[in-house]
Amino acid sequence: LYNWPECDNSGRSGHFKVLVIGDNVELSTGAKILGPIDLGDNVIGGANAVVITSFVSNPIVEGVPAKLIKVKK
């Protein structure tokens, strides 16, 4: 995690749920994780990405909202 990305795991329904972040996840400056999200291993989140959906292992995501750009091999 670089330069304080923001994480909010309260969920949209107001119920507490668990935020799960896998191994070797890189979230760049300004990235935000909103809601009870599951991020698999080796996820790369671009600068200022807003992650509102879960991603499996090895993706590169960016944008608002974060979208799959490429899957690493």
Side-chain angles (χ1 to χ4, degrees), residues 7-22 33-39 53-54:
C7 299
D8 170 24
N9 65 351
S10 62
R12 293 184 185 96
S13 65
H15 298 288
F16 180 78
K17 296 188 180 179
V18 178
L19 170 67
V20 178
I21 298 177
I33 302 174
L34 304 176
I37 304 298
D38 293 330
L39 294 178
T53 58
S54 296

Side-chain angles (χ1 to χ4, degrees), residues 1 3-4 8-9 13 15 21 23 25-26 28-29 34 41 44 47 49 51-52 54 60 64 66-67 71:
L1 301 174
N3 244 359
W4 306 108
D8 170 24
N9 65 351
S13 65
H15 298 288
I21 298 177
D23 294 329
V25 173
E26 296 181 22
S28 297
T29 302
L34 304 176
D41 297 336
I44 297 177
V51 181
I52 60 172
S54 296
I60 299 173
V64 179
K67 295 179 183 163
V71 177

